[in-house]
Amino acid sequence: MTRKIEQSRKLQRRAEQMIPGGVNSPVRAFRAVGGEPPFIVRGAGSHLWDADGNEYIDYIGSWGPQILGHAAPLVVDAITNAARNGTSFGASTPAEADLAEIVLSAFPHMQKVRFVSSGTEATMSAIRLARAYTKRKYIVKFEGCYHGHADALLVKAGSGVATLGIPGSAGVPEEFTQFTLALPFNDTDALEQAFKKFRHQIACVIVEPVVGNMGCVPPARGYLEGLRAITERDKTLLIFDEVMTGFRLAFGGAQELYAIHPDLTTMGKIIGGGLPVGAYGGPSEIMDLVAPLGPVYQAGTLSGNPLAMAAGLATLRHLKEHKKEIYPRLDKLSGELAAGVALAAKEAGVPICYNRVGSMFTWFFAPCPVTDWNSAAKSDTEAFGRFFRAMLENGVYLPPSQFEAAFLSAAHTEEDIQQTIATAKQAFALAHA
Ligand code: KE4
């Protein structure tokens, strides 16, 4: 099938005149996979339609938020009803406490939460808060983990252990990353060495408890427990960045799944039901340092926006009420899909391996297993690009990068799964043609 792309191509050309690369977030430009990005005009359930009328089974789900599927009626109605009363007041509204209440119900250790407008704002604020609470400067992140684009977090992978971060983006002075340590994920020894070298100096460790941003990479057995023990021993705050995993892996996110209690949690994506929301939360003892109660400043014009609160509330209420059906079904269907595509690859003699936790997963065109950035980086991104383009051409929309997680929604059907596996069989056969 040769997909028509004239309209999308025209829209891309127009957008490029006014927006860098024609996109408002780099990954959407398809630089990592090649080909021309379709311009989406409609989503419904597990499907998307582009400007040329092509239909796709969608496994991006807006990079995680659309766990109920696109244009879920209960979410659309909630937003519409809220909008009829006004879109933003810059004043408190009842919906903010409504959403706070259900978020706190998912994370028992959390006593207070503050809403912001993106995951980046959430992680940036949580780190500022951790530094204020501990009166320490150093922070630890892990290679291959992404926590948004705040300066201190845009560091290149450190070469070896406990090397101070070097800026990973133009425009970030090295002074802004000199207190950021970038360590290998799933490596407890590296962490121990860093804490030995910077004893009592590390404010926080921020981690994706299940990594999505190098592709899906789960924590090794005992790794999160080690993280918790080492940070506790040195009185360093442990921040679980659950922007992606929160309400995705379980209603209580990765911390419910792995039974680990971080000190602070950052959230985003699903809690906004597809509208811009981020959040950070933890015990009152820490959160009460945030203005106006305490000296840690953080603010936002659209924080707690009524429409975003309504969309998040509708989504989380539905997830909470139906969690006993939704999460097991997401797990089952995702397992079928991930294994089915991997089998298709094997039968075509294409070497891939995959990681999956619940409904987030990645097929790696790399030697198995993929357990950290070093092993993920061994992926054949050209081969992934060919696979991606063949799938897109035949109506399956995967995340346009080898180093991203794919997502299933509650709207995906058994038919979607079988169709996707059949399309993968064709794609692998093509790759070997
Ligand atoms: P935002 O600022 O994009 O809302 O959230 C940043 C962020 C923080 N923490 C984690 C674990 C995240 O995955 C993200 C953002 N995720 C990417 C996808 N890997 C967003 C997609 C994009 O950048 O376009």
Side-chain angles (χ1 to χ4, degrees):
M1 163 188 128
T2 40
R3 187 170 52 103
K4 294 192 301 2
I5 57 170
E6 288 70 29
Q7 291 308 314
S8 283
R9 185 174 285 158
K10 254 169 46 188
L11 288 163
Q12 174 68 24
R13 288 222 180 87
R14 175 168 174 257
E16 281 167 353
Q17 305 305 311
M18 299 171 276
I19 304 169
V23 292
N24 288 301
S25 200
V27 71
R28 304 177 192 171
F30 278 27
R31 295 293 160 97
V33 290
E36 300 180 75
F39 275 59
I40 303 304
V41 295
R42 185 167 80 89
S46 56
H47 288 217
L48 296 173
W49 286 263
D50 71 15
D52 292 279
N54 300 303
E55 182 173 353
Y56 305 92
I57 304 171
D58 175 35
Y59 291 104
I60 303 183
S62 175
W63 301 96
Q66 304 299 16
I67 194 167
L68 299 184
H70 294 288
L74 60 97
V75 177
V76 173
D77 291 349
I79 295 169
T80 311
N81 295 336
R84 285 208 183 87
N85 294 320
T87 56
S88 176
F89 313 112
S92 295
T93 64
E96 292 153 83
D98 293 342
L99 188 61
E101 191 170 43
I102 195 164
V103 165
L104 295 177
S105 77
F107 300 108
H109 77 283
M110 202 184 287
Q111 294 170 307
K112 294 250 176 69
V113 61
R114 168 62 65 85
F115 293 114
V116 293
S117 297
S118 71
T120 294
E121 267 194 277
T123 58
M124 177 174 76
S125 310
I127 283 168
R128 183 180 307 138
L129 176 58
R131 283 174 156 154
Y133 179 77
T134 60
K135 298 186 176 44
R136 298 176 180 180
K137 288 180 185 172
Y138 288 92
I139 65 174
V140 168
K141 76 172 289 287
F142 298 96
E143 295 157 19
C145 288
Y146 174 71
H147 305 288
H149 60 91
D151 284 343
L153 289 166
L154 288 181
V155 292
K156 274 211 182 81
S159 53
V161 169
T163 38
L164 296 178
I166 35 180
S169 164
V172 178
E174 59 271 14
E175 291 82 358
F176 285 34
T177 58
Q178 62 184 328
F179 300 113
T180 306
L181 298 166
L183 303 180
F185 181 69
N186 271 336
D187 182 339
T188 306
D189 290 345
L191 193 74
E192 285 284 16
Q193 286 180 51
F195 271 82
K196 204 176 285 167
K197 183 171 179 182
F198 296 93
R199 202 160 161 315
H200 302 335
Q201 298 179 69
I202 298 173
C204 62
V205 170
I206 184 165
V207 66
E208 291 183 61
V210 173
V211 187
N213 287 290
M214 57 173 122
C216 178
V217 174
R221 186 181 302 281
Y223 180 66
L224 295 179
E225 290 76 0
L227 260 184
R228 182 63 286 183
I230 293 169
T231 49
E232 206 129 59
R233 187 186 66 205
D234 208 52
K235 296 194 176 13
T236 293
L237 296 190
L238 177 58
I239 302 176
F240 267 16
D241 178 357
E242 296 227 42
V243 166
M244 192 183 279
T245 55
F247 302 95
R248 165 64 58 185
L249 301 182
F251 188 68
Q255 52 201 276
E256 174 185 315
L257 200 63
Y258 293 94
I260 301 269
H261 280 180
D263 298 296
L264 292 174
T265 301
T266 54
M267 293 155 275
K269 296 184 194 277
I270 289 174
I271 67 167
L275 268 64
V277 186
Y280 61 103
S284 298
E285 183 198 355
I286 303 174
M287 292 300 290
D288 287 353
L289 279 177
V290 177
L293 287 184
V296 178
Y297 194 71
Q298 176 267 307
T301 303
L302 295 173
S303 297
N305 171 270
L307 307 197
M309 296 294 105
L313 203 52
T315 302
L316 297 195
R317 279 177 174 160
H318 186 81
L319 287 172
K320 186 169 187 174
E321 189 184 336
H322 301 283
K323 63 183 180 183
K324 288 198 173 31
E325 303 85 53
I326 288 180
Y327 291 103
R329 181 174 180 277
L330 283 172
D331 189 46
K332 174 176 172 294
L333 279 186
S334 302
E336 259 179 54
L337 174 66
V341 169
L343 180 62
K346 187 161 180 255
E347 285 167 350
V350 177
I352 71 168
C353 62
Y354 71 91
N355 289 334
R356 177 182 74 86
V357 180
S359 59
M360 63 189 264
F361 50 90
T362 300
W363 296 287
F364 289 96
F365 286 65
C368 302
V370 174
T371 58
D372 58 12
W373 173 244
N374 275 345
S375 45
K378 292 192 175 75
S379 298
D380 178 346
T381 52
E382 292 297 315
F384 178 83
R386 287 193 298 277
F387 175 62
F388 171 87
R389 293 194 302 275
M391 294 295 270
L392 189 73
E393 187 58 34
N394 291 287
V396 175
Y397 203 149
L398 298 175
S401 163
Q402 169 67 95
F403 307 115
E404 292 285 358
F407 301 98
L408 211 78
S409 82
H412 281 78
T413 63
E414 186 62 46
E415 190 192 347
D416 287 331
I417 303 310
Q418 294 314 317
Q419 173 68 39
T420 304
I421 293 169
T423 306
K425 281 195 177 112
Q426 282 177 319
F428 289 126
L430 253 177
H432 262 242

